[in-house]
Amino acid sequence: MASKRAMSRSLLAAIATAVLIRRVCCAADAPAAAPANQTRPPALFVFGDSIVDPGNNNALTTLIRCNFPPYGQDFPGHNATGRFSNGRVPSDILASRLGIKEYLPAYLGTELSDFDLLTGVSFASGGCGFDPLTAELVSVLTMDNQLDLFKEYKGKLERVAGARRAAEIVATSVYMVVTGTDDLANTYFTTPFRRDYDLEPYIEFVVGCASDFIKKLYGHGARRINIAGAPPIGCVPSQRTNAGGLDRDCVPLYNQASVVLNAALEKEIKRLNGSAELPGSVLKYIDLYTPLLDMIQRPAAYGFEVTNRGCCGTGVFEVTLMCNRYTAHACRDPSKFLFWDTYHLTERGYELLMQQVINRYGL
């Protein structure tokens, strides 16, 4: 088994290197941003994990929550809404840049107005992944649970807008899917529950789950679906602490796993896009790995001073319940930190990341 895992790691490294070389060579061919006069979508719908959860977990019985200070200290009213950052998260930033609204609300635990229903919500749940076990381990919404909520939402939308207009909104809106990080970082590398898989077969399984989710979302009427890849997991502060040694270096194996997962996910998205299986679909793979790694490796170019630890507390282990106003005070100037806690970016980090994503993909 040890030799098999060693061979697996060598193969993984070779594939990851090849993928990175191809990405660098093809960077000049990246799609241009959408023209300024592109028709504004009626709504934005978001599915995924804590990167885009604006507070759905507040309504769940789970430890994966952050509806308390210092979370939200830079959100309007210094309100800890359940967003896993000091301020806005990517779903808010995207909704604002699309000209839809300034903040994308959580579907659960929120008094949703007719305007909210007409312009979109987030169903995302911190701690979930494409692998359903990932969510089940921490008692949060699986991706299928999120789809069930979307189905429920559509019924509410019909009552507000009428069946015909509701169908138009569902068909012409923008969809964003951001998950998969916890499948690798938590379920595979941290717990023993998926170790009956070697890494490459587990990645194949996760991509299969992602493909099934995309097909189900299409079956619910979605057509413009953007799917984000995994970040450089090995450079996230929590993983530096867990597996980066005394110096808390980036963990090469974890980053290689992200690269291989992303390559397989991108390939599957290209296969499905506009296919006979999903006619009329417009699917985009969104690369988060490359811009975030650049921000980590060249912090001064983005105005950051610290990228290897979070702003909250010591910045090496504090996240969710351990990032609190009683035992872990926030740093003096979060704008100098790329990471807010040991998993999630600061609002400024997310703004700079999303600026690059929007410029490249024209969402």
Side-chain angles (χ1 to χ4, degrees):
M1 178 61 75
S3 61
K4 184 177 181 182
R5 286 198 179 275
M7 290 177 64
S8 174
R9 293 186 181 194
S10 298
L11 178 60
L12 190 65
I15 295 171
T17 301
V19 171
L20 284 173
I21 290 172
R22 182 179 70 81
R23 287 217 172 128
V24 170
C25 292
C26 297
D29 298 326
N37 62 353
Q38 179 172 304
T39 303
R40 187 184 74 188
L44 171 66
F45 300 104
V46 176
F47 300 81
D49 58 25
S50 57
I51 305 303
V52 287
D53 178 359
N56 285 302
N57 278 14
N58 297 349
L60 306 178
T61 304
T62 177
L63 297 178
I64 311 301
R65 59 197 304 130
C66 57
N67 54 338
F68 45 81
Y71 286 96
Q73 69 173 31
D74 298 306
F75 197 78
H78 310 292
N79 189 11
T81 60
R83 288 167 169 84
F84 291 76
S85 186
N86 60 310
R88 295 188 303 164
V89 293
S91 45
D92 300 312
I93 296 165
L94 182 56
S96 178
R97 289 291 296 269
L98 289 172
I100 296 172
K101 53 187 173 185
E102 284 302 303
Y103 308 102
L104 196 73
Y107 179 71
L108 292 179
T110 305
E111 291 287 338
L112 296 172
S113 66
D114 289 355
F115 175 78
D116 289 327
L117 293 172
L118 291 166
T119 53
V121 296
S122 173
F123 302 95
S125 180
C128 85
F130 285 119
D131 179 352
L133 179 61
T134 300
E136 291 164 4
L137 288 172
V138 289
S139 303
V140 299
L141 301 175
T142 66
M143 296 302 283
D144 278 349
N145 292 153
Q146 294 178 37
L147 280 176
D148 290 339
L149 293 178
F150 181 54
K151 183 178 179 181
E152 178 183 281
Y153 156 83
K154 289 198 299 178
K156 295 180 181 180
L157 180 62
E158 283 190 14
R159 289 192 288 274
V160 170
R164 182 173 178 179
R165 178 57 184 151
E168 290 176 354
I169 290 172
V170 169
T172 59
S173 292
V174 170
Y175 294 77
M176 193 76 192
V177 181
V178 184
T179 194
T181 301
D182 287 339
D183 293 328
L184 291 175
N186 294 339
T187 304
Y188 189 81
F189 285 124
T190 304
T191 75
F193 299 111
R194 289 298 192 194
R195 286 307 180 94
D196 50 332
Y197 288 90
D198 280 332
L199 185 52
E200 289 93 342
Y202 182 66
I203 287 173
E204 291 176 9
F205 169 73
V206 169
V207 172
C209 293
S211 181
D212 289 343
F213 176 80
I214 293 167
K215 294 170 189 174
K216 291 174 184 176
L217 185 56
Y218 175 92
H220 280 289
R223 293 298 179 266
R224 299 171 59 186
I225 308 172
N226 304 282
I227 305 96
I233 294 171
C235 293
V236 172
S238 61
Q239 304 310 305
R240 288 175 180 261
T241 300
N242 291 344
L246 293 177
D247 293 331
R248 299 184 60 256
D249 295 322
C250 292
V251 186
L253 175 63
Y254 292 11
N255 280 353
Q256 291 163 7
S258 291
V259 170
V260 175
L261 170 63
N262 291 342
L265 181 61
E266 183 177 16
K267 182 179 179 180
E268 178 64 6
I269 290 167
K270 287 181 176 178
R271 184 187 73 82
L272 291 173
N273 183 36
S275 65
E277 193 172 0
L278 303 181
S281 62
V282 180
L283 312 180
K284 284 185 182 179
Y285 167 79
I286 307 297
D287 174 20
L288 299 182
Y289 186 103
T290 304
L292 185 53
L293 185 62
D294 190 57
M295 294 165 74
I296 291 168
Q297 294 178 335
R298 299 191 310 122
Y302 299 90
F304 293 114
E305 295 178 0
V306 182
T307 62
N308 66 346
R309 57 186 176 87
C311 165
C312 187
T314 64
V316 299
F317 65 87
E318 293 90 348
V319 65
T320 60
L321 296 180
M322 289 189 291
C323 175
N324 63 78
R325 62 183 171 183
Y326 302 108
T327 64
H329 297 292
C331 62
R332 184 168 298 178
D333 186 359
S335 70
K336 301 299 183 184
F337 283 68
L338 175 58
F339 289 91
W340 165 249
D341 57 24
T342 56
Y343 270 86
H344 310 97
L345 303 192
T346 56
E347 178 179 35
R348 183 167 178 270
Y350 281 135
E351 286 174 345
L352 292 173
L353 177 63
M354 290 305 295
Q355 180 179 319
Q356 294 183 73
V357 167
I358 292 167
N359 287 345
R360 178 175 180 182
Y361 296 99
L363 299 178

